[in-house]
Amino acid sequence: MLSVRALRKEFATGRRGLFSHAGAIRAVDDISFDIGHGETLGLVGESGCGKTTTGRLVLRLVEPTSGSISFDGTDILALSPKALRDSRRDMQIVFQDPLGALNPRMTVGELIVEPLVIHDIGDALSRETRLRELLGLVGLASYHASRFPHEFSGGQRQRVCIARALALNPRFIVCDEAASALDVSIQAQILNLLQDLKVQLGLTYLFISHDLGVIRHISDRVAVMYLGEIVEIAGKREIFDAPLHPYTMALLGSVPSSRRAKKQFQTISGDVPSPANPPPGCRFNTRCPMAQEICKTTPPPLRTLAAAHDVACHFADDIQGRQKKGREIRA
């Protein structure tokens, strides 16, 4: 459904003056990935790694510096403003903060129906019918339509955001930290709702999160980002059971409740370098326990090391070999 190639986004910093030069933050730096029909691709990484920017780029909420984005074979970067507006029916987003995403001056009914009004779909009666249908889909009652966002809990507000995203019958939804601002018990309800809707409506998700537990629960495949780059992408089982990049291993080792991961993987240390001045070579070399001289000078390419398992690490073959040997010993 979605094919991204060599996507890059730079944000200018500062002003060019007599004694200063304008710089640039490489928020997303030459990433490529695909998402199949009906699939959930989890995008995970530390704060500031470029996850949210990636989600907004694929919807053209932010214009890329370079690269290509194809949705069902159509280059969305080449679309005219009118064609891009029409494409919004197929691609929607659920934001992290439901309160900030909802206009406090509008009722829930007005908020959910607004996309239908903008795209001139149906009349007042059919929109009212659609409103009741959408409220039922996300577990809300019809009487909720007359209330304002501040009258709801965080979980209920996120249900409203999901209902609004579904109003135009989209096929692809970006979920940008859609559950991270909620209590743990409410998180589970929202995640289960998203999974049910995926099956019921045939949806495809790009699910962005920093929470590995959430990613493991909802994803089919997982892409790991570090400092604007994708360093590993594979099926969920491969990522969590046999990661091949030291950064992925460090993330797994940092999960507080995972005793097995703590024994198997080293925890991460040090601070993330500035995206305005990333280190040469492998960007993870300043924090990587396996780093050698080649890591400081030569960027590792994202290469396929196993079936549908891509990784950007000079020593991924060695990691894979040790994992295979460990499995043979245990057997």
Side-chain angles (χ1 to χ4, degrees), residues 1-173:
M1 177 176 283
L2 184 74
S3 181
V4 173
R5 292 291 177 270
L7 191 62
R8 186 187 302 268
K9 179 61 182 178
E10 295 183 356
F11 292 100
T13 59
R15 295 182 178 180
R16 188 181 297 275
L18 183 61
F19 299 104
S20 63
H21 299 280
I25 292 177
R26 287 176 275 182
V28 174
D29 197 2
D30 195 23
I31 67 171
S32 300
F33 61 90
D34 298 310
I35 305 178
H37 289 269
E39 182 181 41
T40 299
L41 176 67
L43 189 59
V44 67
E46 293 172 284
S47 297
C49 70
K51 305 185 301 295
T52 292
T53 302
T54 298
R56 298 190 179 201
L57 285 171
V58 300
L59 297 179
R60 273 191 70 179
L61 297 178
V62 175
E63 293 295 328
T65 302
S66 61
S68 67
I69 305 168
S70 175
F71 182 79
D72 260 358
T74 300
D75 182 3
I76 69 168
L77 298 182
L79 295 178
S80 65
K82 182 182 183 306
L84 178 62
R85 176 174 170 150
D86 291 340
S87 74
R88 299 296 188 204
R89 299 188 184 192
D90 288 325
M91 302 183 292
Q92 290 291 313
I93 185 169
V94 177
F95 293 101
Q96 176 178 358
D97 178 16
L99 185 59
L102 299 173
N103 188 333
R105 297 176 181 269
M106 298 174 69
T107 66
V108 162
E110 292 170 337
L111 287 164
I112 295 176
V113 168
E114 187 180 25
L116 301 175
V117 175
I118 290 173
H119 288 267
D120 195 23
I121 298 174
D123 55 19
L125 182 59
S126 63
R127 289 169 187 168
E128 184 67 26
T129 301
R130 179 62 173 159
L131 171 60
R132 290 195 296 270
E133 178 187 351
L134 289 166
L135 287 170
L137 273 175
V138 299
L140 296 175
S142 57
Y143 63 80
H144 286 130
S146 60
R147 297 184 180 179
F148 289 87
H150 72 271
E151 299 180 80
F152 291 90
S153 66
Q156 287 176 319
R157 283 194 288 264
Q158 196 62 290
R159 290 174 187 269
V160 173
C161 290
I162 294 170
R164 183 176 60 176
L166 294 173
L168 298 173
N169 287 315
R171 293 180 292 142
F172 173 67
I173 297 179

Side-chain angles (χ1 to χ4, degrees), residues 266-285:
Q266 283 187 295
T267 57
I268 199 168
S269 61
D271 296 324
V272 181
S274 169
N277 186 29
C282 173
R283 293 188 176 182
F284 189 56
N285 80 79

